[in-house]
Amino acid sequence: QVYVAEGIFIMGSNDDPQAKEFPAHGVHLDAFWMDKFEVSNAMYTKCVDAGVCLPPVLRLNPYYGKWAYRNLPVVYTNWYAAETYCAWAGRRLPTEAEWEKAARGTDERRYTWGEDRPNPRLANFEESLMGEMLPVFRYPLGASPYGVLNMAGNVREWVADWYAKDYYANSPKVNPTGPESGFERSLRGGAYDANADSITTINRF
């Protein structure tokens, strides 16, 4: 895990008043720890073998349970499975605010590595032409300012919050945890088939 210090950062963006990332706003977060890597098939299997986690939907995830793919991120697990895994591992899902601070730091960077446009050396996204996810330890050049890998592209990542498009307009300024209820959970980070605009540190799903 990596340590993210207490303090204020700017969350969201003022680029488009109609966007789900509007408006940019200052958020103060307590210090927290963040896993450096996405959860791999091998890591998730330990929870399944312990009788705590349910396996992914195998008809959708042909990579799970095969030794050759042990270092790929586990996919086709729903939010509840992600929450269960985190609790079993002695962790928790990050809030949406924590995820964004871990991705963009305190200098309002558009991408985890800075302002430069994405390229295949920095992230696994549409223009990398890989067409599939890659191991969780890939793309060190695209690491976040705190050293977290693959927060841009590869696979989308669950966060703890309920999703609401207008939440930023009136969210708390200290340790926001998302709406009290909702119909969908938030996802962050983009995926291997996402375009450059979808793998920014601010983009919400």
Side-chain angles (χ1 to χ4, degrees):
Q1 291 188 303
V2 299
Y3 180 73
V4 181
E6 175 185 9
I8 296 174
F9 83 108
I10 301 300
M11 187 174 186
S13 169
N14 288 328
D15 290 348
D16 180 1
Q18 302 302 315
K20 52 191 177 295
E21 297 83 32
F22 182 85
H25 55 291
V27 173
H28 181 280
L29 293 179
D30 293 339
F32 61 96
W33 293 85
M34 190 84 169
D35 278 7
K36 183 174 182 176
F37 305 106
E38 295 163 323
V39 177
S40 68
N41 284 321
M43 294 162 67
Y44 191 80
T45 296
K46 291 180 181 295
C47 184
V48 175
D49 290 346
V52 176
C53 292
L54 293 175
V57 181
L58 296 181
R59 65 182 173 80
L60 300 175
N61 182 2
Y63 303 100
Y64 183 77
K66 298 178 181 177
W67 187 86
Y69 303 125
R70 66 195 182 282
N71 291 321
L72 292 183
V74 64
V75 293
Y76 290 104
T77 53
N78 64 24
W79 184 90
Y80 297 99
E83 183 185 44
T84 298
Y85 171 84
C86 288
W88 172 83
R91 289 154 162 70
R92 62 172 174 80
L93 288 170
T95 65
E96 192 165 10
E98 288 171 338
W99 190 99
E100 187 163 320
K101 182 176 182 180
R104 78 183 313 198
T106 57
D107 56 0
E108 300 181 54
R109 54 183 63 188
R110 182 169 180 79
Y111 297 100
T112 53
W113 53 84
E115 299 303 313
D116 293 343
R117 195 181 186 285
N119 66 61
R121 295 171 63 244
L122 298 171
N124 182 16
F125 71 119
E126 181 182 60
E127 294 174 33
S128 300
L129 302 179
M130 299 304 298
E132 60 183 0
M133 56 190 165
L134 293 175
V136 298
F137 52 76
R138 294 287 295 272
Y139 299 100
L141 294 180
S144 83
Y146 299 98
V148 185
L149 301 185
N150 287 301
M151 298 188 85
N154 211 30
V155 297
R156 294 186 178 94
E157 300 170 3
W158 289 115
V159 294
D161 305 26
W162 286 108
Y163 173 79
K165 181 178 179 179
D166 59 353
Y167 180 67
Y168 284 13
N170 42 42
S171 64
K173 293 183 174 13
V174 179
N175 296 322
T177 56
E180 292 185 4
S181 61
F183 296 98
E184 298 173 306
R185 296 284 182 173
S186 291
L187 284 160
R188 301 299 296 258
Y192 63 82
D193 57 354
N195 62 33
D197 291 334
S198 295
I199 64 170
T200 64
T201 59
I202 59 173
N203 196 40
R204 307 173 67 210
F205 299 91

